[in-house]
Amino acid sequence: MTRHFIDIDDLSAEELEEVLDRAVAYKEKQHEGVSHPDLERQTLGMLFQKPSTRTRVSFETGMTQLGGHAVFLGERDIQLGHGEPLKDTARALSGYVDAIMARVFEHANIEELARYATVPVINGLTDDAHPCQTLADLLTIREAVGELEGTSVAWVGDANNVARSFALGCAIAGVDLTVATPPEYALDADHVERADSFGAVPTVTDDPAEAVAGADVVYTDVWISMGQEDQRDYRLAAFEGFQVNEDLLADTDARVMHCLPAHRGEEITDEVVEGERSLVFEQAENRLHAQKGLLSWLLEE
């Protein structure tokens, strides 16, 4: 049966640990200059409806380092669901490549690709979920704190697609998560229920100071995501008081994460991003290593 990676809870706790262990091993090999062509002559097809610097470069570089090849298909190269049904795209590509990574708007599109593809489909991001980011996030926390289970993490800001996958990942890994959002931007009931199925419902609050108190890690993301630009003024007003800045962090030694790109001066200050407690660029690098761990887990026989 073909394994897909549509959201982080497609992995069990044991499988998540295995993917992260593989990521650590690949990171060590790369830093030591040790070759690791474990996916030699295999090809990843990359479908991009939404552009991204980190997703494209990390997957393409990762496949190269694993001895394989990646093919980039942007909006002008392939029209997802327009001119050709998604089920036809999925089946045709399955005859050419060993895996498909897609970064699209609608979550239903990634689900349909997976339904008809006969090779693994990886969710590179949808409006609902960003599980590849969660792999890098958990790897970063494990490196910074030393373990995942029992670590205290505060999410501050918008419970967006990154937050939703992260909440599920924390539940699977045993991370103690508190989510601080304005009430209208809170974590939805479906993701709370899915987290509960792993026995770890996140604590929910509308008070950022309460969330970060005692936290080992504080995590934030943009308040205005791609496609939400027309809501800018409304969202800036709604998230007033939720900025991750030195005042919010004054009484904690917590490390700080952001999945990038950051709108410095909005959800996080330049001072925090560039400060000693920042894990932002380690987190960005870990996209590469985490995705290599995932690719090898999905594709190695």
Side-chain angles (χ1 to χ4, degrees), residues 77-261:
D77 303 304
I78 187 167
Q79 297 181 0
L80 290 178
H82 301 286
E84 180 178 68
L86 277 171
K87 59 185 179 181
D88 291 359
T89 300
R91 288 179 287 194
L93 285 177
S94 295
Y96 305 141
V97 302
D98 299 283
I100 298 168
M101 185 282 294
R103 183 179 169 92
V104 299
F105 286 94
E106 295 182 22
H107 196 75
N109 286 344
I110 200 83
E111 292 176 326
E112 185 158 2
L113 283 169
R115 189 175 303 119
Y116 288 97
T118 56
V119 298
V121 171
I122 298 169
N123 180 1
L125 176 139
T126 67
D127 286 344
D128 288 356
H130 198 354
C132 289
Q133 182 63 56
T134 297
L135 290 177
D137 298 340
L138 295 175
L139 176 59
T140 304
I141 293 168
R142 191 167 108 169
E143 288 177 336
V145 180
E147 59 185 348
L148 288 171
E149 189 168 0
T151 297
S152 176
V153 179
W155 176 278
V156 178
D158 185 13
N160 58 13
N161 52 354
V162 176
R164 290 191 285 268
S165 290
F166 183 66
L168 296 177
C170 287
I172 297 167
V175 173
D176 181 11
L177 177 66
T178 299
V179 179
T181 70
E184 64 186 295
Y185 295 102
L187 199 62
D188 63 280
D190 174 63
H191 283 79
V192 171
E193 198 172 301
R194 286 162 67 183
D196 188 33
S197 70
F198 293 97
V201 175
T203 300
V204 176
T205 180
D206 60 3
D207 184 349
E210 177 185 329
V212 305
D216 299 302
V217 176
V218 175
Y219 192 177
T220 191
D221 190 15
V222 295
W223 298 336
I224 305 158
S225 297
M226 192 182 303
Q228 298 174 338
E229 290 81 5
D230 60 338
Q231 304 173 34
R232 179 176 178 79
D233 291 344
Y234 183 83
R235 282 177 166 267
L236 288 178
F239 287 101
E240 186 175 355
F242 283 81
Q243 184 184 76
V244 175
N245 53 36
E246 290 295 342
D247 288 342
L248 181 65
L249 301 171
D251 296 325
T252 177
D253 294 324
R255 308 298 298 275
V256 177
M257 291 171 39
H258 192 302
C259 62
L260 298 177

Side-chain angles (χ1 to χ4, degrees), residues 2-6 39 41-48 59 63 66 68-73 89-102 110 113-114 117-124 291-292 294-300:
T2 303
R3 295 187 291 195
H4 301 296
F5 186 64
I6 305 305
L39 300 181
R41 291 167 47 178
Q42 297 203 47
T43 299
L44 173 69
M46 305 190 302
L47 312 185
F48 279 83
F59 268 109
M63 280 301 291
L66 289 169
H69 175 62
V71 177
F72 173 84
L73 297 167
T89 300
R91 288 179 287 194
L93 285 177
S94 295
Y96 305 141
V97 302
D98 299 283
I100 298 168
M101 185 282 294
I110 200 83
L113 283 169
T118 56
V119 298
V121 171
I122 298 169
N123 180 1
Q291 285 158 191
K292 285 161 66 176
L294 175 67
L295 286 163
S296 70
W297 182 76
L298 287 170
L299 292 173
E300 278 191 340

Side-chain angles (χ1 to χ4, degrees), residues 3-20:
R3 295 187 291 195
H4 301 296
F5 186 64
I6 305 305
D7 207 343
I8 194 72
D9 54 349
D10 286 335
L11 302 178
S12 66
E14 294 75 18
E15 290 168 337
L16 174 59
E17 185 175 13
E18 181 181 347
V19 170
L20 294 179

